[in-house]
């Protein structure tokens, strides 16, 4: 679904992403991890068309992003770290508005489906601004799915949520696996371990290691994923 070839991004004298070669399969949930400044956010911005690479190529479903940017943008969407909702509109009004933006033919059918998928029926007439943090995150992800994207970028989807809200959102994300190709960034290691089909760890702008959580634990020689991540992310000897 996604392939990068020698992808680079430079900011003046800083090399944020260096020769990134990555393949993400159709329908998998791929987590991109790294400490702050490792290059993961810059990578996500390039993959989601929010930033242009300095060099290298991105292929989406075999098509070069440089050559067909508008066509490719139509099959992806992003749920940003900052909850993207209209606070003065109700939950349902937010979804209807977005369905209008994407010119969905049967807006009511689509909105009702999203309300059901994200279990938002009971609060559909509440103003979005007064929702709990977990409810806002659910709505934000639902809005990103209005156009049925084949690729969904989730940037820190559970940031700041309490444990119960986070686990509830995990269930919703798990239900999307296999249907939608999901690229997840998170600082919650247990989240990446629980949800991901595969995980990539970036170190100083380079993709250091890729594999399942179990494969990365074995590669690092550590007993659990947290220690494996720390060892890989800090450049420890493997």
């Amino acid at each position: 679904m996604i392939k990068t070839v020698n992808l680079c991004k430079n900011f003046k004298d800083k090399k944020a992403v260096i020769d990134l070669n990555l393949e993400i399969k159709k329908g998998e949930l791929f987590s991109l991890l790294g400490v702050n400044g490792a290059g993961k956010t810059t990578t996500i911005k390039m993959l989601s068309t929010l930033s242009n690479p300095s060099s290298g190529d991105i292929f989406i479903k075999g098509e070069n992003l440089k050559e067909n940017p508008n066509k490719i943008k139509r099959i992806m969407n992003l749920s940003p770290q900052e909850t993207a909702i209209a606070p003065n509109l109700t939950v349902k009004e937010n979804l209807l508005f977005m369905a209008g933006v994407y010119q969905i033919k049967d807006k009511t059918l689509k909105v009702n489906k999203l309300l059901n998928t994200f279990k938002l029926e009971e609060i559909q007439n509440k103003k979005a601004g007064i929702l709990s943090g977990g409810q806002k995150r659910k709505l934000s992800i639902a809005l990103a799915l209005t156009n049925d994207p084949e690729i969904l970028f989730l940037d820190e989807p559970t940031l700041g949520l309490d444990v119960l809200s986070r686990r509830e959102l995990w269930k919703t994300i798990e239900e999307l696996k296999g249907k939608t190709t999901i690229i997840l960034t998170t600082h919650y290691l247990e989240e990446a371990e629980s949800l991901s089909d595969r995980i990539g760890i970036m170190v100083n702008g380079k993709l250091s290691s890729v594999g399942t959580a179990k494969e990365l634990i074995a590669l690092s020689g550590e007993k659990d994923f947290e220690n494996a991540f720390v060892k890989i992310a800090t450049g420890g000897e493997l």
Side-chain angles (χ1 to χ4, degrees), residues 132-143:
S132 69
Q135 291 169 337
K136 288 179 179 178
R137 293 304 303 173
K138 276 188 177 184
L139 177 56
S140 183
I141 296 173
L143 290 169

Side-chain angles (χ1 to χ4, degrees), residues 160-179:
L161 299 187
D162 61 64
V163 174
L164 294 180
S165 297
R166 189 182 306 155
R167 291 299 175 97
E168 189 177 350
L169 195 51
W170 286 9
K171 291 179 184 178
T172 304
I173 294 171
E174 282 179 335
E175 290 173 2
L176 298 173
K177 290 174 63 174
K179 308 169 192 174

Side-chain angles (χ1 to χ4, degrees), residues 84-104 107-108 110-111 114 139 142-144 146-147:
I85 59 176
N88 292 323
L89 297 181
T90 66
V91 169
K92 189 171 185 176
E93 286 169 346
N94 266 275
L95 291 167
L96 284 169
F97 173 76
M98 194 58 68
V101 170
Y102 287 113
Q103 299 180 332
I104 304 299
K107 293 192 295 183
T108 301
K110 182 63 183 178
V111 167
L114 289 169
L139 177 56
L143 290 169
T146 307
N147 64 328

Side-chain angles (χ1 to χ4, degrees), residues 76-89:
M76 60 174 60
N77 214 327
L78 167 70
S79 179
Q81 191 176 126
E82 304 80 15
T83 306
I85 59 176
N88 292 323
L89 297 181

Side-chain angles (χ1 to χ4, degrees), residues 56 179 187 208 222 225 227:
K179 308 169 192 174
H187 283 296
S208 175
E222 297 291 340
F225 184 66
N227 285 319

Side-chain angles (χ1 to χ4, degrees), residues 28-221:
E28 82 171 325
L29 192 152
F30 187 92
S31 287
L32 194 60
L33 307 182
V35 300
N36 291 335
K40 63 184 186 300
T41 299
T42 302
T43 298
I44 292 297
K45 285 183 176 180
M46 288 190 286
L47 295 179
S48 61
T49 74
L50 294 178
S51 177
N52 294 322
S54 298
S55 61
D57 292 289
I58 300 171
F59 296 91
I60 307 292
K61 294 182 70 175
E63 295 201 46
N64 195 313
L65 183 57
K66 291 178 184 175
E67 297 171 3
N68 297 291
N70 292 328
K71 179 181 179 181
I72 290 171
K73 284 178 183 179
R74 286 196 289 269
I75 67 165
M76 60 174 60
N77 214 327
L78 167 70
S79 179
Q81 191 176 126
E82 304 80 15
T83 306
I85 59 176
N88 292 323
L89 297 181
T90 66
V91 169
K92 189 171 185 176
E93 286 169 346
N94 266 275
L95 291 167
L96 284 169
F97 173 76
M98 194 58 68
V101 170
Y102 287 113
Q103 299 180 332
I104 304 299
K105 289 184 179 179
D106 193 335
K107 293 192 295 183
T108 301
L109 180 66
K110 182 63 183 178
V111 167
N112 287 338
K113 181 180 177 182
L114 289 169
L115 288 170
N116 177 262
T117 298
F118 287 87
K119 298 178 175 60
L120 295 169
E121 296 103 326
E122 291 186 4
I123 60 168
Q124 62 181 293
N125 294 317
K126 284 188 176 182
K127 290 282 184 73
I130 64 170
L131 302 179
S132 69
Q135 291 169 337
K136 288 179 179 178
R137 293 304 303 173
K138 276 188 177 184
L139 177 56
S140 183
I141 296 173
L143 290 169
L145 287 169
T146 307
N147 64 328
D148 291 320
E150 295 181 49
I151 301 170
L152 176 64
F153 295 92
L154 296 177
D155 187 11
E156 301 281 353
T158 63
L159 182 67
L161 299 187
D162 61 64
V163 174
L164 294 180
S165 297
R166 189 182 306 155
R167 291 299 175 97
E168 189 177 350
L169 195 51
W170 286 9
K171 291 179 184 178
T172 304
I173 294 171
E174 282 179 335
E175 290 173 2
L176 298 173
K177 290 174 63 174
K179 308 169 192 174
T180 307
T181 303
I182 301 171
I183 297 86
L184 170 74
T185 64
T186 180
H187 283 296
Y188 297 117
L189 298 180
E190 73 276 17
E191 182 165 286
E193 185 177 12
S194 174
L195 295 175
S196 306
D197 294 306
R198 289 189 304 143
I199 298 167
I201 300 176
M202 295 192 71
V203 181
N204 297 325
K206 295 182 179 180
L207 188 63
S208 175
S209 305
V210 178
T212 65
K214 289 183 178 179
E215 287 170 344
L216 294 173
I217 291 169
L219 175 68
S220 69

